[in-house]
Amino acid sequence: DHVTINVPKVSTYTSHSWYSILATMKQQKRVGWLNNSIKQFFDLGSGFVCNSYNCRDSASLSQPGLCGLSNLGNTCFMNSALQCLSNTPPLTEYFLEDKYEAEINQNNPLGMRGEIAEAYAELIKQMWSGRQSHVAPRMFKTQVGRFAPQFSGYQQQDSQELLAFLLDGLHEDLNRVKKKPYLELKDANGRPDSEVAKEAWENHRLRNDSIIVDIFHGLFKSTLVCPKCSKVSVTFDPFCYLTLPLPLRRDRLMEVTLVYADPQRRPVQYRVVVPMMGAISDLCESLSKLSGVPAENMVVTDVYNHRFHKIFQMDEGLNHIMPKDDIFVYEVCKPSEDGSEYITLSVYFREKTMRQSSNTAGTILFGQPLLISVPKHKLTVDHLYSVILEQISRYVKLPLAEEHSTPCPDKGTCNGSNGVVEGDFEEMEHQDGGQEGKEKVSEVDPCHSDGCMQTESAKDLQPCKKQHFTFSLVNSSGTSEINSIVEGKILKVNAFSALAIDWDSDTRRLLFDEQEAQAFEKHASMLQPQKKKAVVALRDCIELFTTMETLGEHDPWYCPNCKKHQQATKKFDLWSLPRILVVHLKRFSYSRYWRDKLDTVVEFPIRGLNMSEFVCDPRAGSYVYDLIAVSNHYGAMGVGHYTAYAKNKVNDKWYYFDDSSVSVASEDQIVTKAAYVLFYQRRNGE
């Protein structure tokens, strides 16, 4: 049997849609099924996958190195890292000239029996053959997954972590040292830095001697000072790449809308400054200073689609609030001096509709939800009706005739339905002559007769007013009723229980002022021009890296003089730098309360990066570097997409590598907030 495959369609699907489909499936937790499907899809054969990708630009197929890499399913991180390494001239020349064959170390217990080096060599030869516009690095991924299980599946990973594994794996597979000698580390003990550094580098080369060390390894100087006895410890340690911290902003701007307890005041939008790693209580304190509303009277909510998506606790971290969230802060009542206990309720607006398909009744949410505080002993339908009517009086205008309605002729409950259904309530206690019972009853004035509800004392008739909406006790999203409500009885509800007030379409259209309901005012803080996002220079990151810091209490240093762990001061300096300098910008930050990606733009030079001023070896030569590759990450932490910019060593032109696609790039496109790992090559003769 023969199967006809439309190659262009497969190409379009795999190169443009595959990533978004994977991301969606990942969010839906369909990982097991996804991994299975991907494996079956790509097990159709390497020839099919390779031929199912087309280069999207006019890059010449005969140009060595301009070869895309097929996305095997969330492998863009691997493709980005490989394109950077592929465009590192001394490493690629080493493999293309087959120099690696004589240096494969199959017996190194720390290596991978030479299999990683051989798989990488085969892939590089394909990419630089000039015969293919793209290749599928399936065999290479399989070998990597065998020795590093974290990269074996189809989950999104970190390109820098893969680079670290590859450089270490290639080093051990190509280590020229067959039997590593045992060496004891020695402290400086007052000896000159040059002597200690030379000793450290020689000891390193006695155990580690490979093309990776030749090209990528440099030397740190680490200085530790004990705060108690002032003991100074100086050591020199090799490194394969520089991980540079980015200057962190200590605060963030948030836009929130304050809904006042005064029903006649429009909501006001504020822009507040809060600590980057602060809590909801910090947001309330900042807002209190601008608005005058006590912080303890605030409830912070995330409103989405006419309902409360989340109601925050005061001790929750602000990292749970994303920049695009609609944050509404409600002013609510707190217990009064007489000790009355208040219950805060969520109130949703719903319109009653008829489903045409089934001819059954339904509801749809509309408007801005409310938070109201009611004394627990007054939790009756009658009292709630009057409280809500007052809260919405700014944008729900009652007819003038209802201001002077006539008393209901009958005592008690009139005939006719008020739309309130029965449910779980507590009977109100009414003792004859009891003052408390009289007060409760006299406070509520709605009555019903032909759609009108009344409650009156034994002596006086109360005005009869039409009830414009009915109540339901609903779930937190307002979509389904979980209990019913009976008039004249105390509700059994908890804090932040949700009530729905249901309107018929005609009443909503006549009384509900949509424009006024959505109206808000802007505080002066919203009118102040926002500061532009800070732009950080690469040298700022290097200076921050070499700044002295005090070790944390969970990361102390053992002082040999004090014979105990101390929170010493620590300082890193650069003693010597490699031919290829790999700079990892630490964009992903982690803490107990905060996990985020820093989108700060780091300005780095395309050519002429002078690192000489940061090298502390007084006898060092000039260290001037030119950029040769960049690994980019777009999106948030844990998701997103990786690409690469790289300079072709044959024609010295820049190209953009996006999985199987290769296109020409210009230098002004390279410096972006997506830049994650930078590759610099030291100038010849430096």
Side-chain angles (χ1 to χ4, degrees), residues 379-385 420 453 471 485-487 489 491:
L379 273 175
T380 64
V381 172
D382 300 341
H383 185 66
L384 279 175
Y385 184 87
V420 180
M453 182 173 71
F471 291 92
I485 292 179
V486 174
E487 62 186 86
K489 299 180 181 180
L491 281 70

Side-chain angles (χ1 to χ4, degrees), residues 423-439:
D424 187 13
F425 281 83
E426 233 169 43
E427 289 282 352
M428 289 182 65
E429 295 181 3
H430 294 285
Q431 297 180 356
D432 292 338
Q435 186 64 29
E436 182 181 351
K438 289 181 181 178
E439 289 175 355

Side-chain angles (χ1 to χ4, degrees), residues 197-433:
K198 182 181 178 183
E199 178 183 83
W201 184 249
E202 288 175 350
N203 286 343
H204 177 61
R205 293 303 297 250
L206 286 174
R207 293 175 55 85
N208 304 277
D209 185 14
S210 70
I211 184 65
I212 302 300
V213 177
D214 297 343
I215 296 173
F216 292 97
H217 283 208
L219 206 60
F220 283 141
K221 176 187 176 183
S222 175
T223 306
L224 288 157
V225 180
C226 178
K228 299 297 183 183
C229 68
S230 299
K231 160 73 176 175
V232 178
S233 173
V234 177
T235 57
F236 290 84
D237 303 294
F239 68 88
C240 193
Y241 50 86
L242 285 181
T243 295
L244 300 182
L246 272 62
L248 276 172
R249 282 191 58 180
R250 299 185 180 275
D251 52 44
R252 64 185 282 205
L253 290 174
M254 292 184 63
E255 293 182 4
V256 301
T257 303
L258 177 61
V259 181
Y260 289 92
D262 181 357
Q264 298 307 314
R265 291 191 66 177
R266 285 181 173 178
V268 178
Q269 194 175 37
Y270 291 85
R271 183 177 290 143
V272 294
V273 180
V274 295
M276 182 68 78
M277 299 183 184
I280 295 295
S281 57
D282 296 310
L283 168 59
C284 294
E285 290 293 343
S286 297
L287 184 57
S288 177
K289 292 175 183 177
L290 294 177
S291 66
V293 175
E296 59 270 19
N297 288 9
M298 294 180 182
V299 175
V300 180
T301 70
D302 178 3
V303 176
Y304 175 71
N305 200 18
H306 312 294
R307 59 172 65 91
F308 292 117
H309 178 67
K310 183 173 177 61
I311 297 177
F312 295 94
Q313 301 297 319
M314 282 293 187
D315 59 351
E316 287 190 72
L318 291 173
N319 60 303
H320 295 294
I321 298 179
M322 298 296 106
K324 292 184 180 179
D325 290 344
D326 289 323
I327 302 301
F328 285 79
V329 181
Y330 289 79
E331 180 187 4
V332 296
C333 298
K334 293 298 178 182
S336 56
E337 294 180 359
D338 63 4
S340 300
E341 184 180 353
Y342 279 74
I343 292 288
T344 300
L345 301 174
S346 306
V347 179
Y348 296 142
F349 293 84
R350 299 196 307 184
E351 180 182 339
K352 291 179 282 189
T353 60
M354 290 296 294
R355 297 188 182 95
Q356 294 182 352
S357 57
S358 58
N359 202 28
T360 57
T363 58
I364 56 171
L365 290 167
F366 72 94
Q368 183 72 26
L370 300 174
L371 278 183
I372 60 171
S373 294
V374 184
K376 193 170 184 179
H377 67 278
K378 294 183 180 179
L379 273 175
T380 64
V381 172
D382 300 341
H383 185 66
L384 279 175
Y385 184 87
S386 61
V387 169
I388 292 174
L389 206 58
E390 182 183 5
Q391 284 294 315
I392 63 179
S393 59
R394 179 173 56 84
Y395 47 90
V396 174
K397 303 301 182 184
L398 299 180
L400 290 175
E402 295 193 19
E403 301 292 334
H404 308 286
S405 42
T406 57
C408 283
D410 301 322
K411 294 183 180 181
T413 302
C414 305
N415 294 328
S417 172
N418 63 357
V420 180
V421 289
E422 300 182 351
D424 187 13
F425 281 83
E426 233 169 43
E427 289 282 352
M428 289 182 65
E429 295 181 3
H430 294 285
Q431 297 180 356
D432 292 338

